[in-house]
Amino acid sequence: MASAKNAAPEPSAAASSSSSYSSSAPDVEILRSLRRLARDLAAADPPAPFLRAVFASVSRRARLLVAVFDDLLLLGANGRMPRSASLCLREVLLVLQRFKAVVADCSARSRMRLLLQSDEVASRVRELQHDLATLLDILPVAELGLADDVADLLTLASRQCRRRAPGAAAEQELKASVLALIQEVEREIVPERERLEAILEEVAINDPASCSQEIEILEREIGDRLAERWTSAMIALVGLLRYAKCVLFSAATPRPLDSKVDADDDGAEPASPPPDFRCPISLDLMRDPVVSSSGQTYDRESITRWFGAGKSTCPKTGQVLTNLELVPNKALKNLISRWCRENGVAMEGCEPGKPEPAPQVTANKAAVEAARMTASFLVKKLSASFSPGSDNRVVHEIRLLAKSGSESRAFIGEAGAVPLLVPLLNSEDAALQLNAVTALLNLSILDANKKRIMHAEGAVAALCNVMGSGATWRAKENAAATVLSLSAVHTYRRRLGRNPVVAEKVVLLVRTGPPSTKKDALAALLCLSAERENVGKLVGAGAAEAALSAIGEEEIAAAVLASLAKRGGAEAIVNIDGAVAKLVAEMRRGTEWSRECAAAALVLLCRRAGAAAVSQVLAINGVEWAIWELMGSGSERARRKAASLGRSCRRWAAANAAQNAECPTTTATTTTVVSPPTVAAS
């Protein structure tokens, strides 16, 4: 404000004595803001073609006001701004700010939602124009000393603001056409290509990029419940736009973001999340960030597990929490979502075996029928395609459709997509292979599609081929995740476990893959090891050694070892050099879940392998402290396992001491007996 005051020249003595309404710095700033806003509105593009007439009128009024504010700035600098005019212009500023907010809000909306709400937008603009006309009418023009031509501009602007715009017949006709199209789709009538193209042209959706963007914005608006009245129509339009994207724009190349591969660098790892996007507890990418009462952000699953263990402190600061309420951190979640989109990472990709996340949109009749039409169109096109480039574009769309909902997955499977996708897993085209395996992963969520995949000729062999020699790590990772998804069915888990190549390729990924690939492969091993008859083949393929190599890196590795030990692999694990020591170290320093699993694995080793395992446990320095610490701070299951491990060690030590007492000639072995520490427990 001081600089503004210095910038304005001092009023003359005559002006000071004749009027107490001299110019001040705030008035000058208000005038500058008015001029800036008027210029912005004059230059603003209409947010959609069908609203061009509505916003063109705003632009014309704003251009008239720019000249008025330019003249007022000159007069205000000479100290000739009456107080009544100052107050009136401040109200004009508020109206112009509301105009700009309407323009910004409409520009951020989806085109289809804007069309559905076009009546409301036009009504809001009319109200603001009426408010502006009222303020211009009461502005004391005579006291401002404006030139006659400038005063005429004010009068013209006021008159135009009051003039009622003619009815937007074309806009209403377009809206009616869209609603009629939705009703036809509900009746299972396939839209005519020319008619669909004409409608999208009128809303400026004329290429695959704009169509994809419109779908994304619509899905977000539906999820945020921004237009309850039109939600049903918006859901139908999402399905209709997916159909239009395939029918009208199927010749377009998929966006690099949607099929992000790096064929030139097969060893490249997927992008690593920024530290701020990782949960301080699990160190994984946060899927649902929440803020605790200490102000720290955690992933909801991790902090809920922390509280479930009976803890009421902040894991990061150690502060005792006043309450255990969690508040969603929506701003951070939006940033994480944007980072995931920009780097081609699924929002839930940090969780093993998860297919691509689907928007939470409840389908209605029109959306379901549009999905059926889209699936049928894509599968027919894929069956008739003879070009790898065309195949990739169609498979890319099948992949996207398969993640949109269970109905879409069912329609794609029923249309016969699985037998057409399986041969593409052996393609030398990196993008095509990735899209095909990801499409199968998304389809495999549905149990009926699991059956189709398992019964498709060469499907398991093709998945093994991708895991072993896929063009990218992401393709290998998704192949392992598909094996995991198929293994969820008991019968298929046994079939996959009987195939030695499956175990070999999954183990290879655990040994050589980057972190995200290794995690999916370990999850597949964990699921396969749930069948006792699979454990022998898994151990023979080196599953125990591979899981041990991942101890300390992936918390699921300890769970794999516990599962193997439970079903016949205990002796093989004990015979691996350093296996017991690694499990004890994980029980000391791992995450809450990995400590629990490590303790469970050690208990199983002691029970199944007996003295060979217990002696190795007791030979490790400080093991008694690790056991007692877990008994005091672990989860309920971890405390039980730690207590059981302690009992096993004490029984073996007592038996060994008794045996040595009976054979005094035998050299006794010094044994550490697990007992409570001398320090009193708090």
mmCIF file of all heavy atoms in Angstrom, residues 451-490:
data_model
loop_
_atom_site.group_PDB
_atom_site.id
_atom_site.type_symbol
_atom_site.label_atom_id
_atom_site.label_comp_id
_atom_site.label_asym_id
_atom_site.label_seq_id
_atom_site.Cartn_x
_atom_site.Cartn_y
_atom_site.Cartn_z
ATOM 1 N N LYS A 451 -12.023 -69.281 -15.464
ATOM 2 C CA LYS A 451 -12.263 -70.569 -16.121
ATOM 3 C C LYS A 451 -11.916 -70.484 -17.600
ATOM 4 O O LYS A 451 -11.298 -71.407 -18.160
ATOM 5 C CB LYS A 451 -13.737 -70.964 -15.933
ATOM 6 C CG LYS A 451 -14.100 -72.307 -16.549
ATOM 7 C CD LYS A 451 -15.557 -72.646 -16.260
ATOM 8 C CE LYS A 451 -15.924 -73.999 -16.872
ATOM 9 N NZ LYS A 451 -17.348 -74.356 -16.592
ATOM 10 N N ARG A 452 -12.309 -69.384 -18.239
ATOM 11 C CA ARG A 452 -12.011 -69.240 -19.668
ATOM 12 C C ARG A 452 -10.507 -69.215 -19.926
ATOM 13 O O ARG A 452 -10.014 -69.796 -20.899
ATOM 14 C CB ARG A 452 -12.666 -67.956 -20.199
ATOM 15 C CG ARG A 452 -14.185 -67.994 -20.208
ATOM 16 C CD ARG A 452 -14.763 -66.746 -20.856
ATOM 17 N NE ARG A 452 -16.215 -66.810 -20.941
ATOM 18 C CZ ARG A 452 -17.051 -66.207 -20.119
ATOM 19 N NH1 ARG A 452 -16.564 -65.432 -19.135
ATOM 20 N NH2 ARG A 452 -18.351 -66.341 -20.249
ATOM 21 N N ILE A 453 -9.764 -68.538 -19.062
ATOM 22 C CA ILE A 453 -8.308 -68.459 -19.240
ATOM 23 C C ILE A 453 -7.661 -69.822 -19.015
ATOM 24 O O ILE A 453 -6.803 -70.259 -19.795
ATOM 25 C CB ILE A 453 -7.709 -67.411 -18.280
ATOM 26 C CG1 ILE A 453 -8.210 -66.008 -18.643
ATOM 27 C CG2 ILE A 453 -6.185 -67.439 -18.322
ATOM 28 C CD1 ILE A 453 -7.845 -64.934 -17.633
ATOM 29 N N MET A 454 -8.068 -70.508 -17.945
ATOM 30 C CA MET A 454 -7.461 -71.802 -17.647
ATOM 31 C C MET A 454 -7.796 -72.847 -18.710
ATOM 32 O O MET A 454 -7.018 -73.788 -18.925
ATOM 33 C CB MET A 454 -7.920 -72.292 -16.276
ATOM 34 C CG MET A 454 -7.349 -71.508 -15.105
ATOM 35 S SD MET A 454 -5.539 -71.570 -15.011
ATOM 36 C CE MET A 454 -5.252 -73.315 -14.723
ATOM 37 N N HIS A 455 -8.932 -72.700 -19.389
ATOM 38 C CA HIS A 455 -9.309 -73.662 -20.416
ATOM 39 C C HIS A 455 -8.877 -73.229 -21.817
ATOM 40 O O HIS A 455 -9.058 -73.987 -22.779
ATOM 41 C CB HIS A 455 -10.817 -73.899 -20.392
ATOM 42 C CG HIS A 455 -11.282 -74.728 -19.243
ATOM 43 N ND1 HIS A 455 -11.450 -74.213 -17.977
ATOM 44 C CD2 HIS A 455 -11.584 -76.053 -19.146
ATOM 45 C CE1 HIS A 455 -11.852 -75.164 -17.152
ATOM 46 N NE2 HIS A 455 -11.938 -76.290 -17.828
ATOM 47 N N ALA A 456 -8.324 -72.034 -21.949
ATOM 48 C CA ALA A 456 -7.847 -71.580 -23.255
ATOM 49 C C ALA A 456 -6.555 -72.317 -23.610
ATOM 50 O O ALA A 456 -5.655 -72.447 -22.777
ATOM 51 C CB ALA A 456 -7.610 -70.077 -23.241
ATOM 52 N N GLU A 457 -6.470 -72.775 -24.822
ATOM 53 C CA GLU A 457 -5.306 -73.559 -25.247
ATOM 54 C C GLU A 457 -4.034 -72.705 -25.188
ATOM 55 O O GLU A 457 -3.965 -71.624 -25.763
ATOM 56 C CB GLU A 457 -5.517 -74.073 -26.669
ATOM 57 C CG GLU A 457 -4.390 -74.974 -27.162
ATOM 58 C CD GLU A 457 -4.647 -75.498 -28.561
ATOM 59 O OE1 GLU A 457 -5.730 -75.215 -29.123
ATOM 60 O OE2 GLU A 457 -3.766 -76.183 -29.097
ATOM 61 N N GLY A 458 -3.042 -73.207 -24.450
ATOM 62 C CA GLY A 458 -1.743 -72.548 -24.377
ATOM 63 C C GLY A 458 -1.686 -71.343 -23.460
ATOM 64 O O GLY A 458 -0.671 -70.642 -23.439
ATOM 65 N N ALA A 459 -2.726 -71.097 -22.672
ATOM 66 C CA ALA A 459 -2.746 -69.889 -21.844
ATOM 67 C C ALA A 459 -1.678 -69.930 -20.758
ATOM 68 O O ALA A 459 -0.924 -68.969 -20.570
ATOM 69 C CB ALA A 459 -4.131 -69.694 -21.224
ATOM 70 N N VAL A 460 -1.586 -71.055 -20.036
ATOM 71 C CA VAL A 460 -0.606 -71.153 -18.956
ATOM 72 C C VAL A 460 0.812 -71.097 -19.515
ATOM 73 O O VAL A 460 1.688 -70.422 -18.964
ATOM 74 C CB VAL A 460 -0.830 -72.446 -18.145
ATOM 75 C CG1 VAL A 460 0.270 -72.613 -17.098
ATOM 76 C CG2 VAL A 460 -2.194 -72.424 -17.468
ATOM 77 N N ALA A 461 1.033 -71.775 -20.622
ATOM 78 C CA ALA A 461 2.364 -71.755 -21.241
ATOM 79 C C ALA A 461 2.732 -70.345 -21.694
ATOM 80 O O ALA A 461 3.889 -69.917 -21.567
ATOM 81 C CB ALA A 461 2.397 -72.719 -22.427
ATOM 82 N N ALA A 462 1.742 -69.617 -22.227
ATOM 83 C CA ALA A 462 2.012 -68.252 -22.679
ATOM 84 C C ALA A 462 2.346 -67.339 -21.504
ATOM 85 O O ALA A 462 3.238 -66.485 -21.593
ATOM 86 C CB ALA A 462 0.817 -67.713 -23.453
ATOM 87 N N LEU A 463 1.626 -67.501 -20.372
ATOM 88 C CA LEU A 463 1.936 -66.707 -19.182
ATOM 89 C C LEU A 463 3.342 -67.017 -18.679
ATOM 90 O O LEU A 463 4.076 -66.113 -18.268
ATOM 91 C CB LEU A 463 0.903 -66.979 -18.089
ATOM 92 C CG LEU A 463 -0.492 -66.388 -18.298
ATOM 93 C CD1 LEU A 463 -1.470 -66.931 -17.257
ATOM 94 C CD2 LEU A 463 -0.447 -64.863 -18.223
ATOM 95 N N CYS A 464 3.725 -68.289 -18.716
ATOM 96 C CA CYS A 464 5.087 -68.668 -18.309
ATOM 97 C C CYS A 464 6.117 -68.046 -19.239
ATOM 98 O O CYS A 464 7.194 -67.606 -18.803
ATOM 99 C CB CYS A 464 5.226 -70.189 -18.307
ATOM 100 S SG CYS A 464 4.299 -71.011 -16.998
ATOM 101 N N ASN A 465 5.784 -67.986 -20.521
ATOM 102 C CA ASN A 465 6.705 -67.379 -21.481
ATOM 103 C C ASN A 465 6.912 -65.901 -21.173
ATOM 104 O O ASN A 465 8.041 -65.395 -21.245
ATOM 105 C CB ASN A 465 6.155 -67.544 -22.899
ATOM 106 C CG ASN A 465 7.018 -66.865 -23.938
ATOM 107 O OD1 ASN A 465 8.184 -67.210 -24.120
ATOM 108 N ND2 ASN A 465 6.463 -65.877 -24.625
ATOM 109 N N VAL A 466 5.833 -65.198 -20.820
ATOM 110 C CA VAL A 466 5.962 -63.778 -20.486
ATOM 111 C C VAL A 466 6.786 -63.613 -19.217
ATOM 112 O O VAL A 466 7.652 -62.730 -19.129
ATOM 113 C CB VAL A 466 4.572 -63.134 -20.332
ATOM 114 C CG1 VAL A 466 4.710 -61.674 -19.892
ATOM 115 C CG2 VAL A 466 3.805 -63.201 -21.636
ATOM 116 N N MET A 467 6.528 -64.447 -18.189
ATOM 117 C CA MET A 467 7.294 -64.337 -16.946
ATOM 118 C C MET A 467 8.765 -64.606 -17.174
ATOM 119 O O MET A 467 9.633 -63.996 -16.540
ATOM 120 C CB MET A 467 6.738 -65.320 -15.901
ATOM 121 C CG MET A 467 5.409 -64.905 -15.306
ATOM 122 S SD MET A 467 4.938 -65.901 -13.871
ATOM 123 C CE MET A 467 4.587 -67.482 -14.645
ATOM 124 N N GLY A 468 9.077 -65.511 -18.109
ATOM 125 C CA GLY A 468 10.476 -65.854 -18.341
ATOM 126 C C GLY A 468 11.196 -64.929 -19.298
ATOM 127 O O GLY A 468 12.363 -64.581 -19.084
ATOM 128 N N SER A 469 10.533 -64.539 -20.364
ATOM 129 C CA SER A 469 11.223 -63.746 -21.388
ATOM 130 C C SER A 469 10.354 -62.604 -21.908
ATOM 131 O O SER A 469 10.419 -62.268 -23.097
ATOM 132 C CB SER A 469 11.642 -64.658 -22.550
ATOM 133 O OG SER A 469 10.522 -65.365 -23.061
ATOM 134 N N GLY A 470 9.529 -62.031 -21.044
ATOM 135 C CA GLY A 470 8.703 -60.905 -21.456
ATOM 136 C C GLY A 470 9.535 -59.708 -21.875
ATOM 137 O O GLY A 470 10.696 -59.555 -21.469
ATOM 138 N N ALA A 471 8.940 -58.855 -22.705
ATOM 139 C CA ALA A 471 9.689 -57.721 -23.249
ATOM 140 C C ALA A 471 9.992 -56.666 -22.194
ATOM 141 O O ALA A 471 10.973 -55.933 -22.308
ATOM 142 C CB ALA A 471 8.902 -57.089 -24.397
ATOM 143 N N THR A 472 9.154 -56.564 -21.166
ATOM 144 C CA THR A 472 9.355 -55.552 -20.115
ATOM 145 C C THR A 472 9.087 -56.178 -18.755
ATOM 146 O O THR A 472 8.391 -57.189 -18.634
ATOM 147 C CB THR A 472 8.392 -54.353 -20.294
ATOM 148 O OG1 THR A 472 7.048 -54.824 -20.139
ATOM 149 C CG2 THR A 472 8.550 -53.707 -21.662
ATOM 150 N N TRP A 473 9.633 -55.530 -17.730
ATOM 151 C CA TRP A 473 9.373 -56.009 -16.372
ATOM 152 C C TRP A 473 7.911 -55.860 -16.017
ATOM 153 O O TRP A 473 7.351 -56.666 -15.267
ATOM 154 C CB TRP A 473 10.230 -55.244 -15.363
ATOM 155 C CG TRP A 473 11.637 -55.736 -15.280
ATOM 156 C CD1 TRP A 473 12.776 -55.061 -15.588
ATOM 157 C CD2 TRP A 473 12.053 -57.044 -14.855
ATOM 158 N NE1 TRP A 473 13.877 -55.860 -15.391
ATOM 159 C CE2 TRP A 473 13.463 -57.083 -14.936
ATOM 160 C CE3 TRP A 473 11.379 -58.183 -14.424
ATOM 161 C CZ2 TRP A 473 14.208 -58.209 -14.601
ATOM 162 C CZ3 TRP A 473 12.111 -59.309 -14.090
ATOM 163 C CH2 TRP A 473 13.502 -59.322 -14.171
ATOM 164 N N ARG A 474 7.269 -54.829 -16.556
ATOM 165 C CA ARG A 474 5.861 -54.642 -16.230
ATOM 166 C C ARG A 474 5.014 -55.780 -16.787
ATOM 167 O O ARG A 474 4.060 -56.234 -16.144
ATOM 168 C CB ARG A 474 5.375 -53.295 -16.761
ATOM 169 C CG ARG A 474 3.975 -52.940 -16.283
ATOM 170 C CD ARG A 474 3.692 -51.481 -16.488
ATOM 171 N NE ARG A 474 4.563 -50.670 -15.652
ATOM 172 C CZ ARG A 474 5.001 -49.467 -15.977
ATOM 173 N NH1 ARG A 474 4.640 -48.932 -17.112
ATOM 174 N NH2 ARG A 474 5.785 -48.796 -15.170
ATOM 175 N N ALA A 475 5.360 -56.260 -17.975
ATOM 176 C CA ALA A 475 4.643 -57.401 -18.539
ATOM 177 C C ALA A 475 4.876 -58.644 -17.693
ATOM 178 O O ALA A 475 3.938 -59.412 -17.412
ATOM 179 C CB ALA A 475 5.087 -57.632 -19.975
ATOM 180 N N LYS A 476 6.106 -58.853 -17.255
ATOM 181 C CA LYS A 476 6.409 -60.006 -16.399
ATOM 182 C C LYS A 476 5.645 -59.914 -15.079
ATOM 183 O O LYS A 476 5.106 -60.906 -14.575
ATOM 184 C CB LYS A 476 7.918 -60.059 -16.131
ATOM 185 C CG LYS A 476 8.776 -60.308 -17.367
ATOM 186 C CD LYS A 476 10.258 -60.286 -17.002
ATOM 187 C CE LYS A 476 11.143 -60.520 -18.220
ATOM 188 N NZ LYS A 476 12.583 -60.511 -17.871
ATOM 189 N N GLU A 477 5.630 -58.726 -14.527
ATOM 190 C CA GLU A 477 4.927 -58.501 -13.264
ATOM 191 C C GLU A 477 3.443 -58.794 -13.391
ATOM 192 O O GLU A 477 2.847 -59.464 -12.538
ATOM 193 C CB GLU A 477 5.153 -57.048 -12.843
ATOM 194 C CG GLU A 477 4.416 -56.603 -11.605
ATOM 195 C CD GLU A 477 4.671 -55.131 -11.314
ATOM 196 O OE1 GLU A 477 5.786 -54.645 -11.617
ATOM 197 O OE2 GLU A 477 3.763 -54.479 -10.784
ATOM 198 N N ASN A 478 2.819 -58.345 -14.479
ATOM 199 C CA ASN A 478 1.394 -58.576 -14.667
ATOM 200 C C ASN A 478 1.092 -60.039 -14.970
ATOM 201 O O ASN A 478 0.006 -60.533 -14.637
ATOM 202 C CB ASN A 478 0.855 -57.675 -15.774
ATOM 203 C CG ASN A 478 0.776 -56.224 -15.340
ATOM 204 O OD1 ASN A 478 0.963 -55.913 -14.166
ATOM 205 N ND2 ASN A 478 0.509 -55.329 -16.269
ATOM 206 N N ALA A 479 2.040 -60.732 -15.603
ATOM 207 C CA ALA A 479 1.858 -62.169 -15.818
ATOM 208 C C ALA A 479 1.862 -62.906 -14.480
ATOM 209 O O ALA A 479 1.042 -63.802 -14.242
ATOM 210 C CB ALA A 479 2.959 -62.705 -16.730
ATOM 211 N N ALA A 480 2.792 -62.528 -13.587
ATOM 212 C CA ALA A 480 2.825 -63.138 -12.248
ATOM 213 C C ALA A 480 1.545 -62.809 -11.480
ATOM 214 O O ALA A 480 0.998 -63.662 -10.765
ATOM 215 C CB ALA A 480 4.053 -62.647 -11.484
ATOM 216 N N ALA A 481 1.053 -61.585 -11.613
ATOM 217 C CA ALA A 481 -0.188 -61.199 -10.939
ATOM 218 C C ALA A 481 -1.374 -61.979 -11.491
ATOM 219 O O ALA A 481 -2.313 -62.307 -10.752
ATOM 220 C CB ALA A 481 -0.418 -59.699 -11.104
ATOM 221 N N THR A 482 -1.340 -62.309 -12.789
ATOM 222 C CA THR A 482 -2.411 -63.122 -13.373
ATOM 223 C C THR A 482 -2.382 -64.533 -12.795
ATOM 224 O O THR A 482 -3.431 -65.114 -12.492
ATOM 225 C CB THR A 482 -2.271 -63.174 -14.906
ATOM 226 O OG1 THR A 482 -2.226 -61.847 -15.430
ATOM 227 C CG2 THR A 482 -3.441 -63.909 -15.536
ATOM 228 N N VAL A 483 -1.178 -65.099 -12.646
ATOM 229 C CA VAL A 483 -1.048 -66.416 -12.007
ATOM 230 C C VAL A 483 -1.610 -66.363 -10.592
ATOM 231 O O VAL A 483 -2.321 -67.270 -10.143
ATOM 232 C CB VAL A 483 0.430 -66.873 -11.996
ATOM 233 C CG1 VAL A 483 0.614 -68.113 -11.121
ATOM 234 C CG2 VAL A 483 0.911 -67.155 -13.413
ATOM 235 N N LEU A 484 -1.308 -65.291 -9.880
ATOM 236 C CA LEU A 484 -1.843 -65.121 -8.527
ATOM 237 C C LEU A 484 -3.365 -65.066 -8.545
ATOM 238 O O LEU A 484 -4.037 -65.706 -7.726
ATOM 239 C CB LEU A 484 -1.277 -63.844 -7.911
ATOM 240 C CG LEU A 484 -1.909 -63.366 -6.605
ATOM 241 C CD1 LEU A 484 -1.765 -64.408 -5.510
ATOM 242 C CD2 LEU A 484 -1.294 -62.048 -6.169
ATOM 243 N N SER A 485 -3.938 -64.315 -9.476
ATOM 244 C CA SER A 485 -5.395 -64.192 -9.568
ATOM 245 C C SER A 485 -6.033 -65.537 -9.873
ATOM 246 O O SER A 485 -7.040 -65.916 -9.265
ATOM 247 C CB SER A 485 -5.748 -63.172 -10.650
ATOM 248 O OG SER A 485 -7.140 -63.052 -10.803
ATOM 249 N N LEU A 486 -5.445 -66.298 -10.791
ATOM 250 C CA LEU A 486 -5.980 -67.614 -11.142
ATOM 251 C C LEU A 486 -5.862 -68.583 -9.970
ATOM 252 O O LEU A 486 -6.718 -69.455 -9.775
ATOM 253 C CB LEU A 486 -5.246 -68.173 -12.363
ATOM 254 C CG LEU A 486 -5.390 -67.374 -13.668
ATOM 255 C CD1 LEU A 486 -4.462 -67.939 -14.733
ATOM 256 C CD2 LEU A 486 -6.830 -67.386 -14.160
ATOM 257 N N SER A 487 -4.803 -68.430 -9.174
ATOM 258 C CA SER A 487 -4.565 -69.338 -8.047
ATOM 259 C C SER A 487 -5.568 -69.159 -6.924
ATOM 260 O O SER A 487 -5.599 -69.964 -5.985
ATOM 261 C CB SER A 487 -3.149 -69.122 -7.491
ATOM 262 O OG SER A 487 -2.178 -69.359 -8.478
ATOM 263 N N ALA A 488 -6.376 -68.122 -6.992
ATOM 264 C CA ALA A 488 -7.379 -67.918 -5.944
ATOM 265 C C ALA A 488 -8.424 -69.026 -5.940
ATOM 266 O O ALA A 488 -9.077 -69.270 -4.927
ATOM 267 C CB ALA A 488 -8.050 -66.562 -6.133
ATOM 268 N N VAL A 489 -8.589 -69.722 -7.080
ATOM 269 C CA VAL A 489 -9.519 -70.851 -7.170
ATOM 270 C C VAL A 489 -8.753 -72.125 -6.834
ATOM 271 O O VAL A 489 -7.702 -72.408 -7.418
ATOM 272 C CB VAL A 489 -10.136 -70.942 -8.576
ATOM 273 C CG1 VAL A 489 -11.062 -72.149 -8.679
ATOM 274 C CG2 VAL A 489 -10.904 -69.669 -8.896
ATOM 275 N N HIS A 490 -9.276 -72.916 -5.881
ATOM 276 C CA HIS A 490 -8.584 -74.097 -5.364
ATOM 277 C C HIS A 490 -8.152 -75.046 -6.486
ATOM 278 O O HIS A 490 -6.990 -75.483 -6.546
ATOM 279 C CB HIS A 490 -9.509 -74.826 -4.381
ATOM 280 C CG HIS A 490 -8.988 -76.140 -3.910
ATOM 281 N ND1 HIS A 490 -7.942 -76.245 -3.021
ATOM 282 C CD2 HIS A 490 -9.357 -77.417 -4.213
ATOM 283 C CE1 HIS A 490 -7.696 -77.522 -2.787
ATOM 284 N NE2 HIS A 490 -8.548 -78.253 -3.497
#
